[in-house]
Structures are given as structure tokens and as C-alpha cells.
Amino acid sequence: MIQSNEIKAYLEQFSSENDFSGVVHISQGDQVLISYTSGLAHRGFEVPNTPNTKFDTASITKTFTAVAIFQLAEQGLIKLDDYLTDYLDLGETSLSKEIKLHHLLTHSSGIGDDADEEAGESYEDLWIDKPNYSVRELKDFLPQFIHRERNFEPGDDCRYNNCAYILLGLVIEKVSGMNYRDYIQTHIFDKADMKNSGFFSMDHVVPNVAEGYAGIYDDDDELLGYKKNIYSYPPVGGTDGGAFATAPDLDRFMKALTQGHILSKAWVEKLVSPQMDIDENEVRSFHYAHGFEVTKRIRDNQVLCIHKDGSNPGVACDLKYYPESNTTVAVLSNSDNCDVWRMAFEISKHLGIELE
């Protein structure tokens, strides 16, 4: 039996020891088990976070993009095996002509990223010489990566890639005739009753939006304080990251998705089916699906968790869905100084999730 008091005690201890600023929302079926808040949405005016605080979801946004592509595929407007060049003419680039949509969805396209974080490149460094406010529409991202050297040929390997989702967003705009953000609002947020979600520009005034705070560290990796993240990336989110949502809205998204309200259950099954192997240990294996990632138990080959996380300067988040118990865990934070992934993992153990 789930002991909500034990989970709350753990969250309070974690928050105290790690200066956690954010929201934790846990549901099982239609029952909300935990709605926990800590820290400040605005440090300057000491405004506390609430369950209705809107947080940057970073790369969790990729799941919305993937669902949009699958919606178009379900309607017969595109096929996942279609070539990117069937929809976009980008002129002379370093992109392979053999890239298919499913390569972009599963991080197997091989394209060079605008900031190769796996190679240690910093996304923030892109904006040292280029104003971040000059990049607002998807096409504005193209010069940053379409001439970069390939990492491998499509399908030969997998490597986490942000800009692949920029290309997918351009396909969505081409096929649907809608601006990407408008499409997501209409066909995902509205249908899932995500009334507190959207693509909110950092230079606009929007109620209940948490500011993002990036940690400042000394040479010994000790936290000295925080800075705002307003110059760390473009001012409004796109296809690879930056949509804002409340934790309860992410719960509504997972319910709408798994119950077949925004995509048929047959297509949801395809969406979250493991495609590319990432890693494994003695008890679990890890895979890229489409937008989402999947963890399976080794002993019975069962899907343990369907999940996606995100991290940027001033942002850390983790969204997990455990199909065996119909449990969703959403952790959103407006600072990057504490390990929300460890928090989410410990929550799963307190929930009695069978991890092995």
C-alpha cells in the first residue's frame, strides 16, 4: 500500500538538503496521490511555487512534437518512412538525402547538432555572438546546424539530437499548414485539457510563470548563487524544447495520450515502442522510442517505464509513466542545482514500483 506521508516526508527532506525549487505531482489512475511544492517561482520577490505554476519543460517538449507527427501519420498525411526531402527543400546542406522521419524521431539521423552536448559543447555559447532574441521561428534555427558535419549515416547509430526535432517541426508546419506552436496548442494542449500550458515568450508578461535560475559555482563546484536564464536560449520555445506546463497538465497529457484521446491506442503503442538501444545493466535496459524513452526489465522483458526528461540552464524536469500501475510522476523545477532524476527514482521506490 502506498504511504503518501512517507513520500511527502522524503520530498521535504530532499528539498531541505538540496534546495529543490519546483513541483511534484503523482497520480495513480484518476487519484492524485501527491501534490507537493517547494521553493520560489520568483526569487527576487519571493513568490512561492504553487501547483498551478507554469514551468519550462525543456526536452519534454519533444514528446509533443512526436505526438503531432504521429497524428499526421494516423491521418494518412505522412508516413514515418517518408524521406525528409519529400517535404522540405533546404538547398545545399550537410544533411543526408537518406534521412527519414523515423530517423529524426529516434535520434538515429546522424545530423550534426547546433550544440553537440554529448561532445561537451555548450548551448549557451551559441548566443555569445548571436542575439538569442533573433531566433523565434523554426526556420531561424536552420543556419546553426544544416552545414555541420554528420556524425554517421542515417540508421547506422543513435546519438541524442535536438535539431532533428526542428526539422520535424518544419514538416508539421508544411503538412498541416499551421504554425507549429498553434498546432500543438490546438491538437494537443486543448484536446488534453492542458489549460495552463503553452509556448510563452520570456519577453512577454504571462501570469504564474516561474523564472528559471541557473546555478553559479566556484572552482570547487560549490553553489555560490543563481542567475536568470533569459540569455541562455531563444526567448520562446520550439519543437525540441521550451514549452511551458504545470505538473498537473503533464499528468493530463499522459492520461489523454494513454487513454487514446489525442492519438488512437494503436498508434500510441507504436509511439512508445522501443526503437534504438541506449544502454542496459543487470536489471534494466534503456531505449529510445519516438520522442519518449523506454525502460524495460531484463528478467521478463516488460516495459517498466515510459519517460522523458529535460535539462537546461535554470530548468530540470522528469516525466515518468509506469504502465503496470497506471502511475504518473511529474517533477518540474525552475533551477538546475539539484538532482531531480534521483528524486524521481526514489519516488518510484516509495511507490512500490517493481524495478527489478
Side-chain angles (χ1 to χ4, degrees), residues 136-344:
R136 289 183 179 270
E137 300 303 326
L138 299 183
K139 61 182 176 59
D140 299 332
F141 288 88
L142 292 174
Q144 298 177 177
F145 70 92
I146 60 173
H147 298 294
R148 296 206 67 171
E149 184 179 353
R150 304 174 198 171
N151 291 303
F152 50 85
E153 293 304 310
D156 284 356
D157 201 348
C158 67
R159 185 182 183 89
Y160 193 85
N161 188 283
N162 289 300
C163 288
Y165 277 72
I166 299 296
L167 296 172
L168 289 169
L170 289 168
V171 172
I172 292 167
E173 292 187 334
K174 177 79 171 182
V175 174
S176 71
M178 298 176 66
N179 174 275
Y180 166 79
R181 299 181 186 106
D182 293 338
Y183 182 96
I184 299 300
Q185 183 68 53
T186 301
H187 294 282
I188 296 179
F189 294 163
D190 290 350
K191 286 188 175 182
D193 197 30
M194 299 167 66
K195 295 179 180 178
N196 292 307
S197 300
F199 291 87
F200 309 130
S201 181
M202 289 190 288
D203 54 3
H204 290 177
V205 178
V206 182
N208 297 325
V209 169
E211 289 196 330
Y213 299 100
I216 302 172
Y217 298 88
D218 63 16
D219 293 339
D220 296 321
D221 208 29
E222 292 293 325
L223 181 67
L224 300 176
Y226 297 92
K227 65 178 181 180
K228 296 181 181 181
N229 64 359
I230 56 176
Y231 299 114
S232 298
Y233 29 83
V236 61
T239 51
D240 61 334
F244 280 77
T246 63
D249 267 5
L250 289 183
D251 184 27
R252 293 184 184 98
F253 168 63
M254 291 307 300
K255 283 182 170 56
L257 181 65
T258 56
Q259 293 172 8
H261 297 321
I262 54 178
L263 194 65
S264 72
K265 290 187 178 181
W267 279 88
V268 172
E269 186 174 344
K270 296 177 183 179
L271 176 80
V272 299
S273 62
Q275 300 295 308
M276 305 297 293
D277 298 338
I278 304 173
D279 197 7
E280 69 176 46
N281 56 35
E282 293 181 352
V283 295
R284 292 181 293 276
S285 60
F286 308 93
H287 315 265
Y288 288 129
H290 304 91
F292 288 93
E293 296 170 18
V294 174
T295 299
K296 300 176 72 174
R297 274 196 304 264
I298 296 293
R299 65 172 174 82
D300 58 8
N301 201 36
Q302 291 299 305
V303 172
L304 169 65
C305 186
I306 298 164
H307 50 100
K308 188 70 187 83
D309 65 346
S311 178
N312 277 326
V315 182
C317 48
D318 201 2
L319 175 62
K320 295 184 180 295
Y321 175 71
Y322 298 96
E324 290 180 325
S325 59
N326 193 19
T327 301
T328 299
V329 177
V331 181
L332 294 172
S333 177
N334 60 323
S335 64
D336 57 9
N337 64 293
C338 66
D339 190 348
V340 302
W341 301 272
R342 179 166 64 89
M343 174 195 274

Side-chain angles (χ1 to χ4, degrees), residues 52-92:
N52 291 321
T53 300
K54 302 163 183 147
F55 291 88
D56 185 342
T57 64
S59 284
I60 290 176
T61 307
K62 290 183 176 69
T63 65
F64 308 142
T65 303
V67 170
I69 286 287
F70 268 62
Q71 286 177 333
L72 297 174
E74 183 177 22
Q75 296 169 43
L77 298 176
I78 63 174
K79 295 179 181 178
L80 300 183
D81 279 337
D82 287 344
Y83 291 99
L84 177 65
T85 53
D86 292 338
Y87 301 97
L88 302 181
D89 181 6
L90 301 176
E92 291 299 320

Side-chain angles (χ1 to χ4, degrees), residues 18-78:
N18 297 276
D19 192 25
F20 171 67
S21 177
V23 174
V24 177
H25 183 93
I26 305 171
S27 74
Q28 191 169 77
D30 294 328
Q31 180 184 6
V32 176
L33 302 178
I34 298 288
S35 180
Y36 174 82
T37 65
S38 180
L40 300 172
H42 194 294
R43 289 180 178 266
F45 290 102
E46 298 187 344
V47 178
N49 286 313
T50 74
N52 291 321
T53 300
K54 302 163 183 147
F55 291 88
D56 185 342
T57 64
S59 284
I60 290 176
T61 307
K62 290 183 176 69
T63 65
F64 308 142
T65 303
V67 170
I69 286 287
F70 268 62
Q71 286 177 333
L72 297 174
E74 183 177 22
Q75 296 169 43
L77 298 176
I78 63 174

